[in-house]
Amino acid sequence: MSCKSSCSNPSTTSFTTHEISTEETPDKAVKTRTKRYTFYWQIGAGGPTLLRVSDFDGADVTEEVDPPDEMYDRVRRSIGQDI
């Protein structure tokens, strides 16, 4: 994946977080969205676990795209698991 200069500064990444229900897990789940990707997280006792990543057109790109560096910590804080 190529990365333009906007990707080089992780503190500038913006995304939204929404709680969702999913058939993939009985635990709470959260969806985070950037401009191009949607990240689906399972929220368990150990914190968020990335389930899947989809592109803007819905294609599964889990194997090709990693979440931005600060996303895991911000998801954990947003659901009250700040440790």
Side-chain angles (χ1 to χ4, degrees):
M1 178 175 88
S2 66
C3 189
K4 303 237 185 255
S5 61
S6 62
C7 296
S8 64
N9 186 355
S11 64
T12 63
T13 303
S14 65
F15 58 89
T16 59
T17 303
H18 303 280
E19 189 171 332
I20 59 170
S21 60
T22 177
E23 297 173 4
E24 296 176 30
T25 176
D27 295 329
K28 183 169 31 168
V30 172
K31 173 174 72 172
T32 54
R33 294 189 69 144
T34 63
K35 188 173 185 177
R36 182 169 180 169
Y37 301 107
T38 303
F39 300 84
Y40 297 88
W41 302 85
Q42 174 183 336
I43 309 302
T49 302
L50 185 63
L51 295 174
R52 175 169 74 90
V53 182
S54 63
D55 204 341
F56 63 92
D57 63 0
D60 187 332
V61 293
T62 306
E63 299 297 319
E64 303 161 19
V65 177
D66 291 323
D69 291 339
E70 77 277 8
M71 187 178 282
Y72 175 84
D73 290 331
R74 287 177 55 190
V75 167
R76 191 178 69 214
R77 284 193 310 267
S78 75
I79 58 159
Q81 291 186 340
D82 195 13
I83 54 175

